[in-house]
Every structure is written in C-alpha cells, then in structure tokens.
Amino acid sequence: MTSPPSARRVLLVAAAIVAALVVAVACGLVVGPTPIGAGRIAGDALSRLGLGHSTLTSLQSTIVWQLRAPRMVLGLLAGAMLAVAGATYQGVFRNPLADPYLLGVAAGAGLGATLAIVNVADVSSVPAWTPLLAFAGALVAVALTWFVGGRSLRSTPATLVLAGVAVSALFTSAQTFLQQQSSTQSIARVYIWLLGSLATASWHSVIIVVPYVVLCCAVCVAAARALDIMSVGDDEARSLGLSVRAVRLLVVGASSLGTAAVVSVVGLIGFVGIIVPHIVRLLVGTSYRRILPLSVIFGAAFLVLCDTVARTVMAPSELPLGVVTAMVGAPVFVLILSVRRMRTP
Amino acid sequence: MVHLEHVTLHAGATTLVHDVSLEVAAGSWCTIIGPNGAGKTSLVAALAGLRTLTRGTVRVDGQRLDQIRERERARLVAYVPQHPEIPVGMSVQEYVSLGRVAIHGVLRAPSRRDRDAVSDVVERLELGGFRDRDGASLSGGERQRMVLARALAQSTKVVVLDEPITGLDVRHQMEMLEMLKKEVAECGLTVVATLHDLTLAGLFTDRLVLLDRGEVRRDGTAHDVIRSEELAESYGTRLRVVTVDGSDVVVPVRAREDRP
C-alpha cells in the first residue's frame, strides 16, 4: 500500500530532479570528443551577454553552440514532451501501461517517414521532408483512432485504446509492406529513423519543435487537477463537475500533437514516456499535480543524460538512443520498485 | 426540490426505468426500494444527471439537469455511487477536497473557504484522525464516511446515494444513516437514497418509493409502503411486518413446506 508522501519528501525529490536537470545540461554541453572545460563554456556564455571575455576558439565555440547546444536543447524538449505525454495518457486512460504511442502516433509517424525515405532515389541521406510526412502520418493515425473509438457518446477509454491498437496495426502493416518493397539501403535508413536519434539536431529543428512542446506541456500540466479527479472514474468525475469528455479530448489532443511534433524530428525514442512517469510516481505518489510537472523536468534530464551515454560509450559511433533509454531506465525503475517494496511491509 | 417527470431510460433495447414521475420536497429524505434489477441504480444516476434520458426531465431546484453544464449540476446535486472508486495513494483530505472542485474550478487551487469547508465536514463525519491516511487503506465503514464527506463537501442542497450502507456491519450502518439524518434535520439537506434493508429504510426515511421492473409500484409514507401488498409481491417472497418499540420491522418468512 502506498501512503501519500510528506511535503518534505516531495520537496527533496523535486530538488533532486532539478539537480539532475542541471547535470544533464552540463553534460550535454561539456561531454564530447573535443575536451572543452565547463568553466570556459560558462565564460563564453557570459561573454555573449557582455560579461567578461571568452577563451574559446571559434571552432570550439561552434562545437558547443552549433552542435552540442541544439542537440541538448532538442533532447530536453523531446524528453519533457514524451514523459509528460506518457504520464497524461496513463492518467486519462487510467492504464499504467499507456505510453505516448498508444493511439497510433508511432505507427503513423513510421508510415509517413517510410513513405518519404523509400520514395527517393538518393539513398545516402534522409530526405528533408521526412519530418513533415512523419508529423502528418502521426496526426492522421491519431485522428483516425479518435474517429473510430472516441466519437460515440458511449465510448469508454478502453474503446479508444482498442481503436488505437487497430489503427497502429493497420499503419504498421502498411509501413512494413512499403519497407519490404524497397531497396536494402532504404530499409536500413528507415530502421535507423525508427530507432530515434538526436544526432541530426540543429537550431532549426529546435525552433520547429519548441512551440508544440511548450504549448502541449502547458496544457497537460494545467490539466493535472482534472486527471486527479478522473482517478475516481468517469461517472463520479462528472458528478463532481468535470466535463470528462472535454478534458479527455483536450489532453489526448495536446499529448498526441506534442508527441507527433517531437517524433517527426527525433524518430521513435521508446521507453521515456513509460519509465519516467513511473519513476516519478514511485517517488512522489499518485497525484498528477506532482507527477506532471516533475515528469516534464525529469523527462528532459533523463533523455539528455541517456543521449550523453549514447554518444560517448562507443564513440565515435553512436548507440541508438532508444536502446540506452531502455538500458538505463529499466534497471533504475526496478531498483526504485524493489527499494519501495522492502520499505513497505 | 427534486422533480422527475415521465422519466424513461433505456440501455439498448432494454427498458431500465419506465415513465417515473416523482417529486421530493426540500429538506426531506426519500428512499427508493425494490428488488435487484428494479432500476434503482439507473434511476438515482439519472437523478444525479449522469444518464441520458430516453424521455422525460429531471429538475433540481427548478433547473433541468440536461440543460446545464457539469459544473453547475455538481453545485446542485452530489452523488454517492454504490461502488465508489477509491484511488490508491490519495489521502482522505485530498479525496474529500475533490468535492470542492465544482466550487473553486478545475484550474484553480482551493481557496481558504474551500479548505475550511473540507475541514468542517471532515470533523463532522469524525474523519479528523485519518486526514493524512491513504483513503484506500481505510476500513469499509471509514471509507463510506469518506465518500459521504466528499459529497457533503460539495455543499449541494441535494445528495443522491446509491446503497450507501452496503457491506457495513449493523453498527456502522446505523452510524451512517444517523449522520445523514442529522444533515437532513440540521442543515435542511434533501436526500434521495436507495436502500436494500427495508427495516432501516422505514426507520430513517420520511417516504418510501417502491420500484419494480422500472416502474413505481407504490409511493407513500414508510409505514404505508412497508405494510402494502405490493411489497411482498415485488420481492416475490413472503415477508412479515412486526412492530418493535413502535417501529416496523420487516422479516422474511420461509414457507412451511421449505422448512426442514
């Protein structure tokens, strides 16, 4: 039995999570094949604000601010969005296994990206319109899921989840077919895209994703109290004055839109959306007013830290980010779970 | 206070409630009785505005429930379901506070007045000692009190309860009903409840409505309904009513041929 955590405990966990974010930002900027000290990077950042002088060469400055910084910021955005979307889905569907890809975002984005990649003769790179098609595919899939499972007045969260499963299966089969019809090189490209990566990050991709992530995270965090109310079930939540259908449409829409935007740029990074909210929940209890804001921060920190691992352990080649999130996330999760079990009789 | 006019309710092709008209006066307690499957739960859910009616209207305090928003409705009528879902990890205080959402709004934090109202009802229902406990860890009786506290925290004029004493031992059943009775007598609360225990229904409530196969079979004072022929007929079993200390007690009787 979990008991509600004390205010002091929540504060401590929040402080630890913020500290993790600071460490993640530092790692994102400092760690890399070219050694550049944290102090010198900080000095350069201050000099840009008109304070003091920078000791970085222009090459070092480019490495930090044009390669590492956008990658780190994109990681923060993607991690925050995936974590908060996962937490929101778990709340709105009252299903602990829900992840941001539940309603077809992944399958739709996968199909869109595959369409873009297999339809070009040049197999040396991913075409520029891949994110656009992935984004469109993700939105079409979620809209179809909602159309099939969520429109009717009598539809329950379970109907929507089942519709998501069906739509995902449909899109995945179409994607597999397309992939199977294409060349070996395209298959490799598609596969790499599906695994997700921050390697192609640029300020351009950051600017594309920022408005979606900020808006969608804000909507989800603002809905925290509504999700707490929904934990008593639809009928009771309505009797308490909540427009359950409106809330569900709003938060599912926001989570899906934000996830679609992120996925279209970084590919399908798995595990963040399910592991981060659960770690946070184990630490601070079941109230979404604590889970959602802390998931935003911890998701951001977690993904950047995983990315640091992904790009360093086998340098100069990179591990797929999805592999690292699972390899780091699963043991952490199991550890917290077993510690909690030992403490509670 | 509560007005039902020709209420009919379907689930697919099945009729759950058929043409029920009912009027419950302010500050009174009306109990709906009837056998399993009579449509009691559907009727009270409709009364709380949680079902889409096939025909008819439900008005509370003059307002049609199907024409107002959820939040306004939650300020008119509170609802205690038969099997309330108790979220694991939510404290008693937090759970009771959910009752205030319709007042402070879902995007706002509770005001001082909301917090005072919650404290007040927590004390009134003797939940003060459990405030910070996980609601899911409470005993059956404490849990029912917590759910009632949430409904009372809504500060509505009408509270609708579906089988509020199911699963409680006789002491806790009496305590629960006494608490409700006090709210009716002292705060002018209007209560509509369903109850299975006919004796307790007669003991606590002003009026009984006997529902059978979705229709009202008998409607009147407790004494009148409990002693009616329709009661035994509806339940399809032999019942005897005896008087103990001036109160009607309903006793089931086995047929002679069934006895060993």
Side-chain angles (χ1 to χ4, degrees):
Chain A
M1 193 66 64
T2 47
S3 59
S6 65
R8 189 168 156 264
R9 186 195 164 93
V10 173
L11 216 64
L12 272 174
V13 172
I17 287 178
V18 170
L21 180 70
V22 173
V23 172
V25 169
C27 283
L29 291 177
V30 175
V31 177
T34 313
I36 306 168
R40 293 177 63 211
I41 294 174
D44 186 66
L46 287 176
S47 78
R48 281 159 193 264
L49 299 170
L51 302 163
H53 293 283
S54 171
T55 55
L56 295 189
T57 65
S58 81
L59 178 65
Q60 286 172 326
S61 174
T62 305
I63 289 173
V64 171
W65 300 116
Q66 298 305 321
L67 293 175
R68 291 182 192 172
R71 182 169 182 153
M72 183 267 292
V73 173
L74 191 64
L76 294 177
L77 292 169
M81 190 64 236
L82 292 174
V84 86
T88 305
Y89 272 17
Q90 285 151 24
V92 81
F93 296 115
R94 297 198 292 143
N95 181 346
L97 289 177
D99 79 352
Y101 304 147
L102 187 72
L103 299 186
V105 168
L111 179 61
T114 308
L115 267 173
I117 294 168
V118 300
N119 278 319
V120 286
D122 172 22
V123 290
S124 61
S125 67
V126 172
W129 58 83
T130 307
L132 206 64
L133 274 186
F135 186 60
L139 292 188
V140 167
V142 175
L144 191 62
T145 298
W146 190 271
F147 184 78
V148 173
R151 268 187 332 149
S152 130
L153 265 177
R154 253 189 253 131
S155 68
T156 61
T159 341
L160 198 58
V161 173
L162 285 175
V165 171
V167 168
S168 292
L170 183 72
F171 277 63
T172 305
S173 64
Q175 188 255 330
T176 312
F177 173 74
L178 268 178
Q179 201 179 335
Q180 188 255 335
Q181 295 292 307
S182 66
S183 68
T184 322
Q185 290 102 315
S186 308
I187 291 177
R189 285 267 145 219
V190 170
Y191 184 67
I192 289 168
W193 188 89
L194 289 178
L195 283 174
S197 167
L198 294 171
T200 55
S202 64
W203 285 119
H204 179 69
S205 50
V206 167
I207 287 166
I208 289 176
V209 169
V210 158
Y212 292 103
V213 172
V214 170
L215 181 74
C216 297
C217 282
V219 168
C220 290
V221 171
R225 195 181 294 277
L227 292 182
D228 278 345
I229 301 168
M230 281 166 79
S231 65
V232 299
D234 281 15
D235 251 12
E236 284 182 71
R238 287 174 56 215
S239 84
L240 292 168
L242 193 71
S243 310
V244 171
R245 274 184 63 78
V247 171
R248 187 168 287 139
L249 179 63
L250 186 71
V251 297
V252 167
S255 309
S256 304
L257 182 68
T259 305
V262 163
V263 160
S264 66
V265 176
V266 301
L268 301 178
I269 298 169
F271 226 61
V272 180
I274 196 153
I275 207 84
V276 169
H278 279 295
I279 290 175
V280 173
R281 185 178 285 113
L282 280 169
L283 294 171
V284 300
T286 52
S287 169
Y288 284 95
R289 275 175 291 142
R290 297 187 288 262
I291 293 175
L292 290 175
L294 290 177
S295 288
V296 171
I297 305 173
F298 187 48
F302 179 79
L303 196 63
V304 172
L305 288 172
C306 286
D307 185 50
T308 307
V309 174
R311 64 194 172 83
T312 46
V313 287
M314 282 174 62
S317 73
E318 285 194 17
L319 276 177
L321 190 47
V323 171
V324 180
T325 53
M327 275 183 162
V328 174
V332 170
F333 184 66
V334 170
L335 184 74
I336 294 177
L337 201 62
S338 53
V339 167
R340 299 246 339 154
R341 280 239 180 86
M342 276 192 289
R343 280 206 196 144
T344 46
Chain B
M1 177 57 64
V2 180
H3 262 280
L4 271 75
E5 272 175 30
H6 305 293
V7 168
T8 299
L9 202 59
H10 285 96
T14 321
T15 307
L16 303 173
V17 174
H18 181 66
D19 198 26
V20 170
S21 295
L22 205 64
E23 201 169 312
V24 183
S28 73
W29 180 339
C30 171
T31 296
I32 296 162
I33 56 171
N36 288 336
K40 304 186 293 295
T41 294
S42 304
L43 185 63
V44 289
L47 223 151
L50 300 173
R51 295 287 175 272
T52 310
L53 307 181
T54 316
R55 258 196 311 281
T57 52
V58 178
R59 279 174 216 273
V60 173
D61 211 5
Q63 300 211 55
R64 267 183 69 165
L65 292 189
D66 57 341
Q67 289 179 347
I68 55 176
R69 300 168 66 96
E70 259 102 352
R71 187 170 166 193
E72 290 170 64
R73 197 186 61 213
R75 296 172 77 149
L76 287 175
V77 47
Y79 169 68
V80 175
Q82 189 169 0
H83 303 291
E85 217 162 304
I86 314 291
V88 174
M90 192 182 276
S91 72
V92 171
Q93 173 93 14
E94 284 176 313
Y95 184 83
V96 176
S97 303
L98 294 181
R100 300 299 292 180
V101 169
I103 294 157
H104 59 71
V106 72
L107 291 176
R108 297 235 178 114
S111 68
R112 199 190 162 76
R113 247 183 65 206
D114 295 312
R115 287 197 299 273
D116 290 347
V118 169
S119 296
D120 178 54
V121 75
V122 161
E123 290 305 325
R124 233 158 64 212
L125 297 197
E126 295 159 24
L127 288 163
F130 310 120
R131 230 175 256 278
D132 297 321
R133 278 265 297 278
D134 181 356
S137 74
L138 300 182
S139 74
E142 294 156 358
R143 201 185 277 214
Q144 288 290 57
R145 282 214 308 277
M146 175 179 82
V147 180
L148 178 62
R150 186 192 80 188
L152 294 179
Q154 272 178 262
S155 305
T156 54
K157 290 177 180 164
V158 179
V159 174
V160 175
L161 304 100
D162 192 5
E163 294 292 343
I165 56 173
T166 312
L168 302 187
D169 66 36
V170 66
R171 189 192 110 204
H172 287 103
Q173 288 190 336
M174 293 295 283
E175 275 179 10
M176 183 82 181
L177 294 174
E178 292 288 4
M179 278 174 179
L180 262 177
K181 190 81 185 167
K182 211 169 133 195
E183 295 292 325
V184 174
E186 291 177 7
C187 312
L189 189 71
T190 308
V191 169
V192 181
T194 69
L195 286 177
H196 265 306
D197 191 311
L198 301 173
T199 304
L200 289 178
L203 206 54
F204 281 90
T205 62
D206 309 304
R207 173 180 167 198
L208 292 186
V209 174
L210 172 62
L211 202 67
D212 185 16
R213 276 165 283 182
E215 294 183 51
V216 175
R217 288 291 299 276
R218 187 99 190 195
D219 179 355
T221 62
H223 182 78
D224 178 45
V225 174
I226 281 182
R227 290 184 177 270
S228 69
E229 277 177 23
E230 288 93 337
L231 187 76
E233 254 175 50
S234 296
Y235 280 92
T237 186
R238 297 169 106 197
L239 296 171
R240 205 139 138 226
V241 184
V242 294
T243 310
V244 177
D245 291 347
S247 311
D248 289 332
V249 176
V250 184
V251 190
V253 189
R254 291 183 78 185
R256 237 168 240 296
E257 59 271 22
D258 294 342
R259 294 186 194 169

